[in-house]
Amino acid sequence: MASVRMYVAFSVLIVVVIFLKALDFQVLHWSRPKVKAQESITCYLKQVTCPNKTHILVLNRDRLYHQGDVLTVRVVARGKDGRPKTYGGDFFRARLVSSDRSPQASSAGHVIDHCNGTYTVQFPLYWTGEALVKIQLVHPSEAVEALQRVREVPNKRVFQCIFVDPNNTKAYYTRQCFSSANPSLLSHQQCDFSKPAVNGTWICEKPVDKLPCSTISKCRWNPSKTRAKVLELVSQEEKKLFQTPYLQEELQVGPNDTIHVLEAEPPTPQHLPACTWDKSAALGHWSGKIWKSSLCNVRVFAQKDIQRCLANKTVYMQGDSTIRQWSLRLQKVVPLHYNESIMDPTALHGGDNSQWNISVRYRFHHFPVRGGAWNIYYDFRYVVDELDATTGGTNTVIILGLWAHFTAEPPEMLRSRLYAIRAAIHRLKRRAPGTRVFVRTATTREHKGGKLEFYLLGSDWLAYQITEVIREMFRADPDVVVLDTWDMSVCQPGKDNVHPDQTMVDSQLNTLLSHICANPN
């Protein structure tokens, strides 16, 4: 009996010791001075790529460079303490700009990540004269990791829809909606508007019991609630990564790194093949306000050229507002007479030119959207449904632009949508082989006031990942032309903007029209 009491007492003593140790740990943990956290952040930031310490080396600096050669630059990423980084993942933006001639020329450099803290940047030399290397650290790898993690979080954007009582239009109910499945919402608590055939998901909280799901009226994205939700996804350490000196900082290039480019020896012919189905116009350079492709002949289309090119054709555009910008530009230069109000972004807009028998139609894509205005839900159409409803033919041109509203979403959402779209394109091409289909990539954009939420939802790194998905999806597809405008935007003469200036838009349209009308009429 005594041994039993000793065993019980010993067991109680052990429990008490464990409890006191745990309590001691908690007290120490709770009472940790703030300076320790600050020291932790400081230590963390020492490892982050520091623009002022990162080293740029122009390889073979003393050799003679000629037009048509490739200039190679090595970048060695270093932390704040000057130590070389041993891992990659930094996101750079590289440009080559002319420094001695008019009009101003510029081109994009292509970055190769060796995954060990070093990078190779290659610049094709398109023009003769003086050229200066410009490399910007858009995001260090640590910021990219944060963007990557946040991107994978579903339903971080807050959407809302209004359900209206048909018997009393003044009685309406606003409910939250989701662009991905929401496991916490039971089946009887939701209105599921998803469409598996197009890989589209749209689920809303159910309104009051007596109000059916079919009473859905208008929907919108709520920017303020999204902002609060997204900012909770990053730590204090990570927030520092989206501030000076780690955000969109130019690397220091030595004054002696200007490259003198001589004429080619022997001179190379300037004739380029037409921009046919298998000839991309993605690579090239700006010469003043004109984009010159290095792969195919991108023509400069005057008004009469555009009218002749699009004569007797119907052009269908569907996507976000960056594609709508193309239709608005055509409205002015063709010109087109619009039959509907352009203010409603979801409606099918129609513009016609009776003299040349040209029709242009634009429709917004289905949710998720980025705009904060209320839009009529049933005015939205999935791209697949529109493609399946299109007759097609040799005088039909279809242009799709899906990127600006998908940067904030998990990449699998866009990828699955594109799979369904690609299948619909194949169906269309089988029934109407002459139909021409184009898919455009993403571009760089502005980030309003450097606010963190705009990077978390729409950073250029996110846009570039969208571009990579589109390239991967349609690279070997004979039924689609990818209008790759990424390089064009990286080195554009104007300011970065999701809706770029007229110079950029006109060059984008020149690229499109050069594929539609490869040879002058």
Side-chain angles (χ1 to χ4, degrees), residues 312-330:
N312 303 312
K313 291 181 176 62
T314 298
V315 180
Y316 292 101
M317 298 183 180
Q318 188 168 7
D320 51 45
S321 58
T322 64
I323 283 290
R324 181 179 62 187
Q325 192 178 14
W326 288 14
S327 70
L328 292 174
R329 183 64 181 148
L330 288 177

Side-chain angles (χ1 to χ4, degrees), residues 306-315 334-336 351-361 395:
I306 296 174
Q307 292 168 341
R308 292 191 188 96
C309 179
L310 297 182
N312 303 312
K313 291 181 176 62
T314 298
V315 180
V334 171
L336 300 170
D352 302 290
N353 182 299
S354 57
Q355 179 182 356
W356 293 90
N357 191 27
I358 299 170
S359 294
V360 176
R361 298 290 183 266
N395 286 326

Side-chain angles (χ1 to χ4, degrees), residues 94-152:
R95 296 173 295 145
L96 197 68
V97 299
S98 62
S99 57
D100 69 335
R101 64 195 295 266
S102 183
Q104 189 77 4
S106 61
S107 63
H110 303 105
V111 181
I112 302 170
D113 185 349
H114 299 293
C115 302
N116 60 2
T118 66
Y119 304 81
T120 297
V121 187
Q122 295 184 323
F123 297 94
L125 301 177
Y126 294 116
W127 65 86
T128 60
E130 302 294 327
L132 185 63
V133 172
K134 289 185 175 292
I135 299 178
Q136 181 189 74
L137 176 65
V138 181
H139 296 299
S141 59
E142 292 78 7
V144 169
E145 288 176 4
L147 290 172
Q148 202 165 14
R149 192 193 71 254
V150 171
R151 180 185 62 167
E152 297 292 340

Side-chain angles (χ1 to χ4, degrees), residues 19-247:
F19 174 76
L20 290 174
K21 286 288 185 183
L23 181 62
D24 180 55
F25 171 78
Q26 291 293 334
V27 170
L28 287 174
H29 180 70
W30 290 334
S31 62
R32 178 181 292 177
K34 292 184 179 180
V35 67
K36 294 291 185 182
Q38 186 59 45
E39 287 176 3
S40 175
I41 294 176
T42 303
C43 181
Y44 171 70
L45 293 176
K46 283 183 180 179
Q47 307 171 34
V48 178
T49 304
C50 181
N52 293 336
K53 300 292 184 178
T54 295
H55 183 61
I56 295 178
L57 175 65
V58 178
L59 302 184
N60 301 317
R61 175 67 187 80
D62 297 329
R63 65 163 281 190
L64 293 177
Y65 283 97
H66 296 83
Q67 188 177 10
D69 290 343
V70 176
L71 176 70
T72 303
V73 175
R74 178 182 296 151
V75 178
V76 179
R78 298 177 185 271
K80 195 172 183 179
D81 57 4
R83 295 182 182 180
K85 291 183 71 172
T86 58
Y87 52 93
D90 297 313
F91 184 55
F92 294 100
R93 175 176 180 168
R95 296 173 295 145
L96 197 68
V97 299
S98 62
S99 57
D100 69 335
R101 64 195 295 266
S102 183
Q104 189 77 4
S106 61
S107 63
H110 303 105
V111 181
I112 302 170
D113 185 349
H114 299 293
C115 302
N116 60 2
T118 66
Y119 304 81
T120 297
V121 187
Q122 295 184 323
F123 297 94
L125 301 177
Y126 294 116
W127 65 86
T128 60
E130 302 294 327
L132 185 63
V133 172
K134 289 185 175 292
I135 299 178
Q136 181 189 74
L137 176 65
V138 181
H139 296 299
S141 59
E142 292 78 7
V144 169
E145 288 176 4
L147 290 172
Q148 202 165 14
R149 192 193 71 254
V150 171
R151 180 185 62 167
E152 297 292 340
V153 177
N155 297 324
K156 59 183 169 289
R157 286 198 289 169
V158 178
F159 296 97
Q160 296 171 316
C161 286
I162 292 175
F163 294 79
V164 180
D165 188 337
N167 299 318
N168 180 9
T169 55
K170 292 183 179 180
Y172 61 89
Y173 306 87
T174 303
R175 294 291 182 265
Q176 186 170 347
C177 298
F178 308 92
S179 55
S180 296
N182 185 358
S184 65
L185 201 62
L186 301 178
S187 58
H188 69 278
Q189 299 174 322
Q190 61 180 248
C191 290
D192 192 347
F193 300 100
S194 304
K195 195 167 186 178
V198 303
N199 293 333
T201 302
W202 192 250
I203 298 170
C204 296
E205 296 174 344
K206 202 168 188 178
V208 292
D209 293 339
K210 295 182 179 179
L211 207 58
C213 294
S214 59
T215 58
I216 188 171
S217 175
K218 296 180 179 181
C219 300
R220 72 161 187 152
W221 168 55
N222 189 313
S224 59
K225 289 189 176 181
T226 298
R227 177 182 183 274
K229 192 171 183 178
V230 168
L231 291 180
E232 293 177 352
L233 298 176
V234 288
S235 66
Q236 292 302 316
E237 290 94 337
E238 290 171 329
K239 288 178 181 179
K240 294 278 188 180
L241 300 173
F242 296 91
Q243 300 172 9
T244 304
Y246 306 106
L247 179 67

Side-chain angles (χ1 to χ4, degrees), residues 241-308:
L241 300 173
F242 296 91
Q243 300 172 9
T244 304
Y246 306 106
L247 179 67
Q248 294 182 310
E249 288 289 323
E250 292 287 338
L251 303 184
Q252 294 180 357
V253 180
N256 296 325
D257 284 338
T258 300
I259 304 300
H260 184 66
V261 184
L262 305 173
E263 290 186 2
E265 293 181 351
T268 55
Q270 297 298 309
H271 178 72
L272 291 171
C275 294
T276 54
W277 214 249
D278 58 345
K279 294 293 183 184
S280 170
L283 302 179
H285 72 286
W286 287 96
S287 179
K289 294 185 176 183
I290 304 298
W291 173 257
K292 295 188 175 182
S293 169
S294 62
L295 300 176
C296 66
N297 181 26
V298 173
R299 297 162 50 204
V300 177
F301 284 75
Q303 182 181 28
K304 286 293 183 184
D305 298 324
I306 296 174
Q307 292 168 341
R308 292 191 188 96

